[in-house]
Amino acid sequence: ATLYLGWSRGAARQRYDFRSGKGARTASQIYLQSGAQQRRNESGAMVTVVPAKGECVCDTAIAGNMHIDSFAADALDPLQLPPEEGGLAYLGRVRLSPIDDPSAPNRTVLADHWLKWAFHFLVDADPASPSRGLPLRLYGHLGVRQIFSNWRVGDPTKEKPDVWRVPAGCKVLAEACKEFVGSTEAAS
């Protein structure tokens, strides 16, 4: 699986490409949130693309996007909730031994444990690690677990120019999608 993150012109973007079985074609979920949606505290749009089935559906996203200020005083969070009400909470430092990382089996890591709303993040805290300060794991409700490894930090449009493009003919199920579907670039 590959995760792309991007922010420009006030838009937060996240794309998750994955395979749903051996040899399966890649499917994608693209999360798009305009600056106006952020200011209105709206979660934005979620586009699900399954090329093998010829499907593309855009609906309201279940949550906003990760962004560069997620673990700091968050200017995009108008509520500024205290930790006990769902705001950002630091829960301590943990050691994962061995970590379940296919790119580095049997690796032990030191991570800072953060909680925001219903999401637990483990962020690399090892001073000698090339991914220090970057997420290693995300745990969410309903058994969601994402493993992050092999980070390449930079503009994803240089490697994949159409990374944020919503396919033509995508079925729109929510008002949140209208500013992204049909545009040449998913941003505003």
Side-chain angles (χ1 to χ4, degrees), residues 8-13 32-34 164 179-180 183-188:
S8 67
R9 294 188 305 203
R13 307 172 189 152
L32 305 164
Q33 187 181 33
S34 70
W164 310 122
E179 64 187 278
F180 302 111
S183 67
T184 58
E185 182 183 338
S188 67

Side-chain angles (χ1 to χ4, degrees), residues 4-5 8 13 154-164 185:
Y4 301 93
L5 300 171
S8 67
R13 307 172 189 152
D155 181 356
T157 61
K158 288 186 173 33
E159 180 181 321
K160 187 175 179 133
D162 65 347
V163 66
W164 310 122
E185 182 183 338

Side-chain angles (χ1 to χ4, degrees), residues 15 26 36 60 66 71 73 75 133-134 142 158 165-166 173 176 181:
R15 178 180 176 136
T26 300
T60 303
M66 281 193 282
F71 300 107
L134 296 170
L142 302 175
K158 288 186 173 33
R165 189 163 293 133
V166 177
L173 300 179
V181 173

Side-chain angles (χ1 to χ4, degrees), residues 22-126:
K22 274 193 170 182
R25 287 182 59 192
T26 300
S28 303
Q29 284 191 316
I30 307 169
Y31 299 88
L32 305 164
Q33 187 181 33
S34 70
Q37 289 169 328
Q38 292 166 2
R39 288 185 294 281
R40 292 189 306 263
N41 203 27
E42 296 172 1
S43 58
M46 176 182 72
V47 180
T48 302
V49 183
V50 185
K53 295 182 178 180
E55 294 178 359
C56 179
V57 176
C58 184
D59 206 344
T60 303
I62 60 169
N65 290 294
M66 281 193 282
H67 58 88
I68 56 175
D69 291 326
S70 292
F71 300 107
D74 189 348
L76 298 177
D77 182 356
L79 301 178
Q80 299 295 321
L81 293 173
E84 62 274 8
E85 293 178 21
L88 181 65
Y90 178 70
L91 302 180
R93 191 158 278 181
V94 297
R95 185 174 305 277
L96 300 172
S97 176
I99 194 168
D100 53 345
D101 183 346
S103 68
N106 300 318
R107 176 179 164 219
T108 297
V109 298
L110 192 62
D112 287 329
H113 183 184
W114 295 89
L115 173 68
K116 188 165 187 179
W117 190 56
F119 300 101
H120 291 263
F121 283 93
L122 298 181
V123 177
D124 193 338
D126 183 348

Side-chain angles (χ1 to χ4, degrees), residues 118-121 137-146:
F119 300 101
H120 291 263
F121 283 93
R137 300 286 180 277
L138 174 144
Y139 298 96
H141 67 292
L142 302 175
V144 170
R145 180 181 75 153
Q146 293 181 346

